[in-house]
Amino acid sequence: ESGDVTAELGNTIWYAAYDGDAWSAPMTIGGTLGFNSDLSVCRDADGDLVLVWAHADSTGYTITSDADTVFAAQADSNLWYAELTGGGWSAPAQMADLAGTAANAVIGHGASDGLWAAWTEELDAGNALYAAAWDGGAWSSAVSVASSGIQGAATVIGVGGQTMLLWAQATEDNDGDDLHSEAAELFSATYSGAAWSDPGRFTLQIADPEATALAGGTDVNAAGGQSDQGLLGAGASLTFNLDLTLP
């Protein structure tokens, strides 16, 4: 936390490093005081750590501030980042300033070990999904990947030489609130090197047909990303190889 909520609300980001045997003493990342949430960190191709998170300015807000005003300030968040090199953490900087509330920030390796960040912007029409690429020193411009219905954080992976985003997306209106639709399915989009594909339902193909027989007819609901336990029973698990089919 800020340390003195009578002077300013908000929190400061702390970090600790693990050397394989023990954790270092926690230390703060300077310049991060604010309304921070949804942190994600990954090492880039140069071996440096890159941290992304949702940040909103908390300047002027104290424990005595009007609650609605504070909530509005927290909702005015954007995506920020900092990089840890041999010289320490870089000064935190805003990487995207978009309409909406930035949330669900993630960072991960895509194709050719490149780093991508993905996050949502909460809008009146629903959550939209955005992505940006890290080149080792700067971020590309934010690109819209999906326009609405995004639920929670996406996942960044590299598949077949392409970068893929996977996420849960509402597929039917739940009284106008797609943030909590019970009809969510797994969607994906891929980056070809020039642009993102249109979002599509993510499908799975079982590489080993014997896996189905071993499961006693267990069915994989590829579109929904769920499985029917069938004869396996509650709490049981089945491991098999899967091929990823890109939309």
Side-chain angles (χ1 to χ4, degrees):
E1 300 301 320
S2 66
D4 184 1
V5 294
T6 63
E8 184 174 349
L9 295 178
N11 52 56
T12 300
I13 298 175
W14 290 66
Y15 78 100
Y18 187 68
D19 64 7
D21 294 314
W23 288 93
S24 66
M27 298 180 65
T28 60
I29 300 178
T32 58
L33 177 60
F35 298 122
N36 302 302
S37 63
D38 300 340
L39 285 71
S40 183
V41 65
C42 196
R43 197 174 297 277
D44 68 10
D46 297 326
D48 300 324
L49 291 178
V50 183
L51 172 69
V52 298
W53 71 96
H55 170 87
D57 189 4
S58 62
T59 303
Y61 298 100
T62 71
I63 193 67
T64 60
S65 297
D66 175 73
D68 290 338
T69 303
V70 172
F71 292 150
Q74 291 175 324
D76 189 23
S77 60
N78 292 300
L79 205 67
W80 283 58
Y81 80 99
E83 181 186 13
L84 178 61
T85 63
W89 285 99
S90 64
Q94 182 175 282
M95 61 175 284
D97 182 7
L98 303 172
T101 301
N104 299 311
V106 296
I107 187 171
H109 291 279
S112 302
D113 209 32
L115 282 190
W116 281 84
W119 69 99
T120 60
E121 293 284 343
E122 296 180 10
L123 307 167
D124 291 340
N127 284 359
L129 179 63
Y130 285 83
W134 171 254
D135 67 5
W139 289 96
S140 66
S141 298
V143 176
S144 175
V145 179
S147 59
S148 66
I150 313 304
Q151 301 195 1
T155 298
V156 182
I157 59 175
V159 179
Q162 294 181 307
T163 298
M164 173 187 282
L165 289 181
L166 291 171
W167 67 91
Q169 181 169 323
T171 54
E172 66 180 48
D173 186 17
N174 187 37
D175 295 326
D177 184 7
D178 65 18
L179 295 178
H180 305 96
S181 171
E182 296 179 357
E185 297 183 15
L186 194 61
F187 275 65
S188 68
T190 56
Y191 185 73
S192 64
W196 284 94
S197 68
D198 292 334
R201 285 176 172 81
F202 179 69
T203 59
L204 295 177
Q205 292 181 337
I206 299 177
D208 183 2
E210 294 182 0
T212 300
L214 290 173
T218 296
D219 178 46
V220 175
N221 180 350
Q226 301 173 342
S227 63
D228 177 2
Q229 298 222 354
L231 299 179
L232 286 177
S237 63
L238 172 67
T239 300
F240 50 85
N241 296 322
L242 295 174
D243 287 336
L244 298 181
T245 300
L246 305 184

